Amino acid sequence: MGCGQSTKQTTPIKNTTEKMTNTKETLSKIEAYVNKLLADLNPDLRYHGRHHTIDIVYPAAMKLCDQENVTDEERLIVGASALFHDTGFLDQYEKNEPMGAERAATQLKQFGFTDDQIKIVKECIMATQLPQSPGDNKLAQIVCDADVSSIGSDDFFITSETLRQELNLVKQLGIRPRKWHEGNTKFLQNHTYFTESAKKHLQPIKERNMKDTLELLGVDELPQ
């Protein structure tokens, strides 16, 4: 009986390992593809450059997948969504999410994605358009939280400054630092993370960043 039980237990473990390996390999191929693709982004995109996707959003999405205990297929969908979510910047600056979603739909077929999987990827990408709107879609919630994970990180002020520079370069807005910090404070106050993991791990740092921003402005709160 003991030997028989041991044999039965090895099969699902092997299958699970194979699925994890396949997911990891597929995501690695997609990451390499998108990394090369994003090399053609406008260099004025100081915030939305290749580093935003490859070094910030994608790793944050994978970490949230671990914390949210998603399946291998869900991890694959989230990873692909995170990697393709800003590829629309290759086409235009404003409302670029539809372009990114369509690019993902076209290119993910070569990586073996089904039509149903691609549909969810497109939904996840579209959900990142501000104001974020993932609804009850857990995978879209993960992608949305990963997309703004920097506001709940120790690098908030650095990444925030790159966005100010980007807007001034691309849209020639001429935003001064104080005005920018005031806008940041309002954004932080109105923003809400969607996943429980982000609320637990990112929200406390976001609140600290908001407090530091108010201190930088020399006020206790912003006027309504």
Side-chain angles (χ1 to χ4, degrees), residues 43-104:
D44 286 343
L45 298 182
R46 303 290 179 83
Y47 177 87
H48 289 105
R50 178 166 52 175
H51 63 283
H52 171 67
T53 293
I54 303 299
D55 300 330
I56 299 176
V57 180
Y58 178 57
M62 294 297 93
K63 187 173 183 178
L64 284 170
C65 280
D66 291 336
Q67 295 167 339
E68 291 290 312
N69 296 315
V70 303
T71 66
D72 289 324
E73 182 183 17
E74 290 172 334
R75 185 183 187 87
L76 185 65
I77 292 171
V78 168
S81 303
L83 287 166
F84 273 96
H85 87 287
D86 271 349
T87 57
F89 276 102
L90 290 162
D91 304 296
Q92 64 186 45
Y93 194 81
E94 300 289 350
K95 297 182 179 179
N96 58 78
E97 291 81 6
M99 283 74 176
E102 288 306 316
R103 182 174 281 105

Side-chain angles (χ1 to χ4, degrees), residues 19 22-24 26-27 30 71-82 84 100-126 137 139-140 143:
K19 288 181 181 179
N22 291 337
T23 298
K24 185 176 181 180
T26 301
L27 285 176
I30 298 173
T71 66
D72 289 324
E73 182 183 17
E74 290 172 334
R75 185 183 187 87
L76 185 65
I77 292 171
V78 168
S81 303
F84 273 96
E102 288 306 316
R103 182 174 281 105
T106 301
Q107 300 303 326
L108 286 176
K109 293 179 181 178
Q110 66 179 297
F111 298 102
F113 276 62
T114 66
D115 289 341
D116 288 340
Q117 290 171 332
I118 289 174
K119 180 177 181 293
I120 301 174
V121 168
K122 292 176 68 175
E123 291 173 355
C124 288
I125 293 175
M126 290 304 300
N137 185 334
L139 305 188
V143 177

Side-chain angles (χ1 to χ4, degrees), residues 159-199:
T159 55
S160 172
E161 174 58 18
T162 62
L163 181 55
R164 185 182 77 88
Q165 293 176 4
E166 175 180 303
L167 290 171
N168 286 344
L169 286 169
V170 177
K171 302 182 71 174
Q172 300 179 346
L173 296 181
I175 307 173
R176 301 297 298 172
R178 183 175 183 85
K179 188 73 173 178
W180 180 249
H181 292 312
E182 290 175 348
N184 273 338
T185 303
K186 292 179 181 179
F187 180 82
L188 293 175
Q189 288 175 334
N190 294 327
H191 171 266
T192 302
Y193 281 118
F194 299 101
T195 64
E196 291 304 314
S197 297
K199 290 176 182 178

